[in-house]
């Protein structure tokens, strides 16, 4: 087995440094080494999107990314959305519109939605559905999630 | 507080990523657990050998021989072992045989693969027909776990005089729950001088089911087995019975190693090994008079239970009772059987047998309508149950019931009449996209079937806290449906205080009483009613103690609770379920009031079918239901939307592929559930008709939305494509192609 490497990266704006195997999965590095358990694992094969994080400006399934690929990168996870106790507009909208039911897809869904609104600040319903189609939800039928993203884009809570 | 769209209580923790699920919890000296399973569907376990190249001494290894108590999962029937013993029978291909634990989960996985099972393979039964043919007798009574008949009138007296007799056969496939959080448990065992203390935290629906299973496994009393629910990432019935095995396995490893053990299934193991919706086969024979009135209904309903009895007898009961649907029929026979096969046991899944039998009936009615030359809605309208009518079990409808009004509202919302007319014109052209609209009308019984609630005798309570707030004490689990919020609303309404003053205790057997399992659309109606009654009792206690007088402000209430707590310590008021006197049920004859009440629904689907690729797109979906009073319109709509999505998935895409008794597409890559682009905006509305059984007039609604989508979607397909034999779900593009080839002959 390969030797461990020192992985240095910026997570949610903070510089972090951990010793990990180069092929360790990024989701494990986040959850186990950095204790950021907000990011979830639902399938381990890049299908469900529960482990979605933003890596250098692009969203990825962190279960498919080897640690070494994140060397020197900038990462955003669900823990980085809120400003301390002040919810991000998307979190606020998901909370207000019941966009989180069991909540297990929510962290990945929020990161995907954040990425969508960054690329497309005023999406229509079709664009929202397309933008979130890499993230599976089994509870909501997606209606409340779509409504939440729409509300966040419109800048209101209603 | 009842009727308002209160914000989800645990929602903030969920959107912040702070909600603690099982795998988020960790311990020092933690071991990871793994399960070695059979790979053949039937055989005798001859020996277990340990392959080379693995430092086996480092591993905690548990076999059936290690089990301190009884090696049987305590369920309705004790037939399923926690682990197959050497010399014992293997009854399905995912049967647990041996458990391993190690601190390094990569080495653990290598070790799991290095265990060699010597098995004398025996011929297996892998489908319903082979089980009925009894080539091998593999379980139950001659391969039958449960058989029941519901008899009303005499269909045989009708066939000769009926103007029309129409028969059909319908099948439904297995369905995987696919909660996004896989199953998992975390166990700690403290060795005591006399007795051990077992604690298991996990992703689960029914803490007291697991407690009972572990008491039997370890031979311990209830106070030595503590089960704690962690935040649970979806369940849908899939975390009802199987978690007893996982909790037992984790606890055995923790007990033997003396260390905390985490046993989390990866997605492939979860999909392959844990329960799924029962596959079904239903044969229907119906008689109508000249005008389309239903004269007789003869139904043969069969469920594939898999290798062990588990919950199949009660799934079968619910399925059979729902088989005659929402129609008046004087002559009804329902013969229902749950048969054994050498596949992993089928289990609870939202709807619990009713989606299978209602698919058959609601699909069959559209086949009948076509043969009778009637519009499907009009055929239904002629036969709807009304107040005073009698259902198949003899239950008399005693509530105001306006199914025609419910259906008309749905027809109007979807634009049924205009669409059927305009689609007929378009579909007659060469246009490759054919369009159709279809409906289903159905009900779902609220609470346990028959005398189930009486046997459960559930308890819930209210506790006064030192800071003046109150806590709801109930074993009902929050699994995404919104139970914490709804219970808070119920308690705050009864106590006339803001929701912020109501806590909901974590489902922990050390803290909450046994309120029964979180299943059967019973939490709001049955347990919620107990919470409401306990809240009234708690308020009365404060008044009798002299701390509270009506009317009061929230601050005065809070002060009263504080003073009561300071004076008497913890005050808890409990209430227990008692059978209402007017409800009667006979378990032997299947006669009587099967449920205290039903929720009712009419759904409509509009589809577009590409006759070149056989892809089906659901373009519009309307879901209108009567569920008594709605406690929280936003959470209720969320439940319906999610249930409809699962129902559409089951109707069109979710196909479990079997090979040699194993699920072979046990990955999210090739078991397809709907994404956000696969679904239309599901349009939901509630018609309110408060019912006295539930708190504030509420009935159950969690399972109802699973019953209607599959027949509505397939009926829409029939409308689009003409009279094909669309008698099976999922109707994947491949199956649709086959149906169209058969039709073209």
């Amino acid at each position: 087995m390969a030797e461990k490497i020192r992985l240095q990266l910026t997570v949610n704006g903070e510089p972090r440094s951990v010793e990990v195997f180069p092929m360790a999965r990024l989701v494990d590095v986040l959850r186990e080494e950095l204790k950021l358990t907000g990011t979830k694992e639902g399938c381990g094969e890049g299908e469900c999107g529960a482990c979605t994080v933003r890596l250098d400006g692009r969203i990825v399934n962190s279960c498919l990314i080897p640690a070494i690929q994140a060397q020197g990168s900038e990462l955003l996870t669900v823990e980085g959305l809120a400003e301390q106790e002040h919810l991000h507009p998307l979190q606020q909208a998901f909370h207000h519109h019941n966009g989180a039911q069991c909540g297990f897809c929510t962290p990945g869904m929020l990161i995907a939605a954040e990425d969508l609104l960054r690329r497309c600040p005023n999406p229509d319903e079709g664009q929202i559905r397309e933008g979130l189609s890499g993230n599976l939800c089994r509870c909501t039928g997606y209606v409340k999630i779509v409504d939440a993203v729409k509300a966040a884009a419109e800048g209101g809570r209603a | 507080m009842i009727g308002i769209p209160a914000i989800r209580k645990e929602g903030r923790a969920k959107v912040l990523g702070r909600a603690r699920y099982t795998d988020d919890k960790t311990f020092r000296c933690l071991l990871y657990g793994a399960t070695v399973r059979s790979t053949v569907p039937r055989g005798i376990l001859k020996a277990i050998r340990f392959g080379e190249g693995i430092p086996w001494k480092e591993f905690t290894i548990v076999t059936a021989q290690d089990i301190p108590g009884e090696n049987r999962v305590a369920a309705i029937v004790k037939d399923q072992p926690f682990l197959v013993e050497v010399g014992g029978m293997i009854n399905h291909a995912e049967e647990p045989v041996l458990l391993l634990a190690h601190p390094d989960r990569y080495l653990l996985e290598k070790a799991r693969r290095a265990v060699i099972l010597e098995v004398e393979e025996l011929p297996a039964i892998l489908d319903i027909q082979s089980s009925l043919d009894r080539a091998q007798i593999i379980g139950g009574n001659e391969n039958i776990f449960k058989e029941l008949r519901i008899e009303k009138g005499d269909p045989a007296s009708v066939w000769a005089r009926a103007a029309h007799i129409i028969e059909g056969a319908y099948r439904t496939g297995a369905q995987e729950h696919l909660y996004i959080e896989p199953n998992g448990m975390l166990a700690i065992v403290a060795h005591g001088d006399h007795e051990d203390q077992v604690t298991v935290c996990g992703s689960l629906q029914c803490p007291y089911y697991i407690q009972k299973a572990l008491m039997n496994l370890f031979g311990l009393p209830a106070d030595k087995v503590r089960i704690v629910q962690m935040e649970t990432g979806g369940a849908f019935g899939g975390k009802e019975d199987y978690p007893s095995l996982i909790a037992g396995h984790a606890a055995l490893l923790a007990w033997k190693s003396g260390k905390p053990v985490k046993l989390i299934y990866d997605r492939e193991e979860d999909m392959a090994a844990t329960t799924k919706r029962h596959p079904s086969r239903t044969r229907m024979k119906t008689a109508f008079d000249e005008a389309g009135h239903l004269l007789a209904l003869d139904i043969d309903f069969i469920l594939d239970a898999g290798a062990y009895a588990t919950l199949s007898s009660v799934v079968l009961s619910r399925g059979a009772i729902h088989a005659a649907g929402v129609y008046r029929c004087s002559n009804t026979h329902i013969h229902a059987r749950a048969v054994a096969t050498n596949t992993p046991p089928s289990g609870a899944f939202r709807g619990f047998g009713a989606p299978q039998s209602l698919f058959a009936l609601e699909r069959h009615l559209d086949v009948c309508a076509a043969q009778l030359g009637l519009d499907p809605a009009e055929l239904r309208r002629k036969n709807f149950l009304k107040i005073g009518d009698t259902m198949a079990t003899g239950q008399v409808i005693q509530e105001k019931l306006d199914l025609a009004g419910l259906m008309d509202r749905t027809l109007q919302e979807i634009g049924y009449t205009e669409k059927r007319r305009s689609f007929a014109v378009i579909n007659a052209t060469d246009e490759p996209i054919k369009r159709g609209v279809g409906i289903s009308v159905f009900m779902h019984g609220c609470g346990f079937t028959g005398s189930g609630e009486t046997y459960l005798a559930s308890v819930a309570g209210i506790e006064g806290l030192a800071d003046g707030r109150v806590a709801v004490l109930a074993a009902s689990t929050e699994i995404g449906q919104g139970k914490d919020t709804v219970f808070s609303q119920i308690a705050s309404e009864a106590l006339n205080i803001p929701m912020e003053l109501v806590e909901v205790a974590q489902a922990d057997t050390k803290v909450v009483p046994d309120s029964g399992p979180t299943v059967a659309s019973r939490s709001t109606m049955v347990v919620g009613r107990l919470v409401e009654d306990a809240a009234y009792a708690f308020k009365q206690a404060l008044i009798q103690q002299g701390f509270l007088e009506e009317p009061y402000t929230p601050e005065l209430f809070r002060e009263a609770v504080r003073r009561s707590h300071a004076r008497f310590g913890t005050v808890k008021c409990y209430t227990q379920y008692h059978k209402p006197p007017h409800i009667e049920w006979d378990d032997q004859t299947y006669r009587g009031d099967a449920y205290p009440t039903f929720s009712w629904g009419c759904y409509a689907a509009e589809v577009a079918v590409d006759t070149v690729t056989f892809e089906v797109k659901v373009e519009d979906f309307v879901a209108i239901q009567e569920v008594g009073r709605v406690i929280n319109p936003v959470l209720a709509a969320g439940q319906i939307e999610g249930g409809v999505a699962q129902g559409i998935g089951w109707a069109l895409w979710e196909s479990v592929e079997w090979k040699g008794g194993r699920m072979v597409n046990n990955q999210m890559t090739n078991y397809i559930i709907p994404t956000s682009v696969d679904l239309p905006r599901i349009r939901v509305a509630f018609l309110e008709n408060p019912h006295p059984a539930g708190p504030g007039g509420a009935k159950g609604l969690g399972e109802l939305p699973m019953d209607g989508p599959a027949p509505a979607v397939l009926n829409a397909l029939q409308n689009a494509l003409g009279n094909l034999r669309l008698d099976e779900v999922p109707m994947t593009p491949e199956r649709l192609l086959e149906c169209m080839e058969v039709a073209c002959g």
Side-chain angles (χ1 to χ4, degrees), chain A residues 80-107:
Chain A
L81 287 175
E83 301 269 349
Q84 272 119 34
E85 293 306 304
H86 189 71
L87 298 183
H88 182 281
L90 273 165
Q91 290 173 312
Q92 186 72 27
F94 268 63
H95 188 30
H96 190 80
H97 287 269
N98 193 35
Q101 287 194 17
C102 85
F104 204 78
C105 74
T106 308

Coordinates of all heavy atoms in Angstrom, one line a residue, chain A residues 80-107:
Chain A
G80 N -20.1 24.9 5.3 CA -19.6 26.2 4.9 C -20.6 27.1 4.4 O -20.3 28.3 4.0
L81 N -21.9 26.7 4.3 CA -22.9 27.6 3.7 C -23.4 28.7 4.7 O -23.5 29.8 4.3 CB -24.1 26.7 3.3 CG -23.9 25.9 2.0 CD1 -25.2 25.0 1.8 CD2 -23.6 26.7 0.8
A82 N -23.6 28.3 5.9 CA -24.1 29.3 6.8 C -23.0 30.2 7.3 O -21.8 29.8 7.4 CB -24.8 28.6 8.0
E83 N -23.3 31.4 7.7 CA -22.4 32.3 8.4 C -22.7 32.1 9.9 O -23.6 32.7 10.4 CB -22.6 33.8 8.0 CG -22.5 34.0 6.5 CD -21.1 34.4 6.1 OE1 -20.3 34.7 7.0 OE2 -20.8 34.4 4.9
Q84 N -21.8 31.4 10.5 CA -22.1 31.0 11.9 C -23.6 30.4 12.0 O -23.9 29.4 11.4 CB -21.8 32.1 12.9 CG -20.4 32.1 13.4 CD -19.7 33.4 13.0 OE1 -20.3 34.5 13.0 NE2 -18.4 33.3 12.7
E85 N -24.4 31.1 12.8 CA -25.8 30.7 13.0 C -26.7 31.2 11.9 O -27.9 30.9 12.0 CB -26.3 31.0 14.4 CG -25.5 30.2 15.5 CD -25.5 28.7 15.2 OE1 -26.6 28.1 15.1 OE2 -24.4 28.1 15.2
H86 N -26.2 32.1 11.0 CA -27.1 32.7 10.1 C -27.2 31.9 8.8 O -26.2 31.7 8.1 CB -26.5 34.1 9.8 CG -27.5 35.0 8.9 ND1 -28.6 35.5 9.5 CD2 -27.4 35.3 7.6 CE1 -29.2 36.2 8.5 NE2 -28.5 36.1 7.4
L87 N -28.4 31.3 8.6 CA -28.5 30.4 7.4 C -28.3 31.1 6.1 O -28.7 32.2 5.9 CB -30.0 29.8 7.4 CG -30.4 29.0 8.6 CD1 -31.8 28.4 8.4 CD2 -29.4 27.8 8.9
H88 N -27.7 30.3 5.2 CA -27.6 30.8 3.8 C -29.0 30.9 3.2 O -29.9 30.1 3.6 CB -26.7 29.7 3.1 CG -26.5 30.0 1.6 ND1 -27.4 29.8 0.6 CD2 -25.3 30.4 1.0 CE1 -26.9 30.1 -0.6 NE2 -25.6 30.5 -0.4
P89 N -29.2 31.8 2.2 CA -30.6 31.9 1.7 C -31.2 30.6 1.2 O -32.4 30.3 1.3 CB -30.4 32.9 0.5 CG -29.2 33.7 0.9 CD -28.3 32.8 1.7
L90 N -30.3 29.7 0.7 CA -30.8 28.4 0.2 C -31.2 27.5 1.4 O -32.3 26.8 1.4 CB -29.8 27.6 -0.6 CG -29.8 27.9 -2.1 CD1 -28.5 27.5 -2.7 CD2 -31.0 27.3 -2.8
Q91 N -30.4 27.6 2.5 CA -30.8 26.8 3.7 C -32.1 27.3 4.3 O -33.0 26.5 4.7 CB -29.7 26.9 4.7 CG -28.4 26.2 4.3 CD -27.3 26.4 5.3 OE1 -27.0 27.6 5.6 NE2 -26.6 25.4 5.7
Q92 N -32.2 28.6 4.3 CA -33.4 29.3 4.8 C -34.6 28.8 4.0 O -35.7 28.5 4.5 CB -33.2 30.8 4.7 CG -34.3 31.7 5.3 CD -34.2 31.6 6.8 OE1 -33.2 31.4 7.4 NE2 -35.4 31.8 7.4
A93 N -34.5 28.8 2.7 CA -35.6 28.4 1.8 C -35.9 27.0 1.9 O -37.1 26.6 2.0 CB -35.2 28.8 0.3
F94 N -34.9 26.1 2.0 CA -35.2 24.7 2.2 C -35.9 24.5 3.5 O -36.8 23.7 3.6 CB -33.9 23.9 2.2 CG -33.5 23.3 0.9 CD1 -33.2 24.2 -0.2 CD2 -33.4 22.0 0.6 CE1 -32.8 23.7 -1.4 CE2 -33.0 21.5 -0.6 CZ -32.7 22.3 -1.7
H95 N -35.5 25.2 4.6 CA -36.1 25.0 5.9 C -37.6 25.5 5.8 O -38.5 24.8 6.2 CB -35.3 25.9 6.9 CG -35.7 25.7 8.3 ND1 -36.3 24.5 8.8 CD2 -35.7 26.5 9.4 CE1 -36.5 24.7 10.1 NE2 -36.2 25.9 10.4
H96 N -37.8 26.7 5.2 CA -39.1 27.3 5.2 C -40.1 26.5 4.3 O -41.3 26.4 4.6 CB -39.0 28.7 4.6 CG -40.2 29.5 4.8 ND1 -40.6 30.1 6.0 CD2 -41.2 29.8 3.9 CE1 -41.7 30.7 5.8 NE2 -42.1 30.5 4.6
H97 N -39.6 25.9 3.2 CA -40.5 25.2 2.2 C -40.5 23.7 2.4 O -41.1 23.0 1.6 CB -40.0 25.5 0.8 CG -40.3 26.9 0.4 ND1 -41.5 27.3 -0.3 CD2 -39.6 28.1 0.5 CE1 -41.5 28.6 -0.5 NE2 -40.3 29.1 -0.1
N98 N -40.0 23.2 3.5 CA -40.0 21.8 3.7 C -39.2 21.0 2.6 O -39.6 20.0 2.2 CB -41.4 21.2 3.9 CG -41.4 19.8 4.4 OD1 -40.6 19.4 5.3 ND2 -42.4 19.0 3.9
G99 N -38.1 21.7 2.2 CA -37.3 21.0 1.1 C -36.5 19.9 1.7 O -35.9 19.1 1.0
A100 N -36.3 19.8 3.0 CA -35.6 18.7 3.7 C -36.7 17.9 4.4 O -37.3 18.4 5.3 CB -34.6 19.2 4.6
Q101 N -36.8 16.6 4.0 CA -37.7 15.7 4.8 C -36.8 14.8 5.7 O -36.6 15.2 6.8 CB -38.6 14.9 3.8 CG -39.7 15.9 3.3 CD -40.9 15.1 2.6 OE1 -41.1 13.9 2.8 NE2 -41.7 15.8 1.8
C102 N -36.4 13.7 5.1 CA -35.5 12.9 6.0 C -34.1 13.6 6.2 O -33.4 13.4 7.1 CB -35.3 11.5 5.5 SG -34.0 11.3 4.2
G103 N -33.8 14.5 5.2 CA -32.6 15.3 5.3 C -31.3 14.7 4.8 O -30.3 15.4 4.9
F104 N -31.3 13.5 4.4 CA -30.1 12.8 4.1 C -29.5 13.3 2.7 O -28.3 13.3 2.5 CB -30.2 11.3 4.1 CG -29.0 10.5 4.3 CD1 -28.4 10.4 5.6 CD2 -28.3 9.9 3.3 CE1 -27.3 9.8 5.8 CE2 -27.1 9.3 3.5 CZ -26.6 9.2 4.8
C105 N -30.4 13.6 1.8 CA -29.9 14.1 0.5 C -29.6 15.6 0.6 O -29.1 16.2 -0.3 CB -31.0 13.9 -0.6 SG -32.4 14.9 -0.5
T106 N -30.1 16.3 1.7 CA -30.1 17.7 1.7 C -28.7 18.4 1.6 O -28.6 19.3 0.9 CB -30.8 18.2 3.1 OG1 -32.1 17.5 3.1 CG2 -31.0 19.7 3.1
P107 N -27.7 17.9 2.3 CA -26.4 18.6 2.2 C -25.9 18.6 0.7 O -25.5 19.7 0.2 CB -25.5 17.8 3.1 CG -26.4 17.2 4.1 CD -27.7 16.9 3.4

